[in-house]
C-alpha cells in the first residue's frame, strides 16, 4: 500500500491508513526507524529516537535501511510491504 505522509514535530512523518487496525498493547519509547500507530489508523515513521505521551504507540515494525530520507520538510509518499518470515 502507498501512504501520503507529512512531517510532524521534526521527528516523524504521519499519515492515515485506509482502514483502522485492531487495538493491541502500546509503548511509549521508540527508536530511529520505528513504524507505528498513534491511533487505529494514524500511521507514523519515526526518523529520530524518543518517547511519546500516554497512551503510547503500537509498534508495527522497523524501517530496513537508511531513515535519513524521511528527515526533510514536506510531504512524501511511502510504499509499505509486509515481509513474510
Amino acid at each position: 500500500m502507498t501512504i501520503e505522509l507529512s512531517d510532524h514535530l521534526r521527528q516523524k512523518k504521519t499519515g492515515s491508513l485506509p482502514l483502522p487496525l485492531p487495538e493491541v498493547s502500546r509503548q511509549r519509547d521508540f527508536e530511529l526507524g520505528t513504524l507505528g500507530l498513534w491511533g487505529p489508523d494514524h500511521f507514523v515513521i519515526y526518523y529520530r529516537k524518543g518517547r511519546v505521551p500516554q497512551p503510547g504507540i503500537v509498534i508495527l515494525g522497523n524501517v530496513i535501511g537508511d531513515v535519513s530520507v524521511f528527515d526533510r520538510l514536506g510531504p512524501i509518499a511511502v510504499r509499505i510491504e509486509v515481509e513474510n518470515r
Side-chain angles (χ1 to χ4, degrees):
M1 105 178 66
T2 300
I3 304 171
E4 294 289 328
L5 302 174
S6 57
D7 198 70
H8 186 73
L9 301 175
R10 295 296 298 146
Q11 73 175 7
K12 63 188 173 193
K13 296 290 189 190
T14 65
S16 295
L17 296 177
L19 297 170
L21 295 178
E23 280 291 324
V24 295
S25 64
R26 294 172 171 267
Q27 67 183 58
R28 296 182 63 202
D29 296 316
F30 58 87
E31 297 294 324
L32 183 75
T34 296
L35 304 174
L37 291 176
W38 179 249
D41 65 348
H42 195 127
F43 181 77
V44 294
I45 299 175
Y46 291 95
Y47 56 84
R48 300 193 192 283
K49 185 176 169 181
R51 185 173 180 95
V52 296
Q54 291 290 0
I57 58 172
V58 174
I59 303 295
L60 298 175
N62 293 300
V63 172
I64 298 171
D66 184 10
V67 297
S68 66
V69 67
F70 302 111
D71 190 2
R72 62 180 176 175
L73 293 175
I76 62 169
V78 296
R79 181 170 171 80
I80 306 297
E81 296 180 3
V82 176
E83 181 180 309
N84 294 322
R85 291 186 181 198

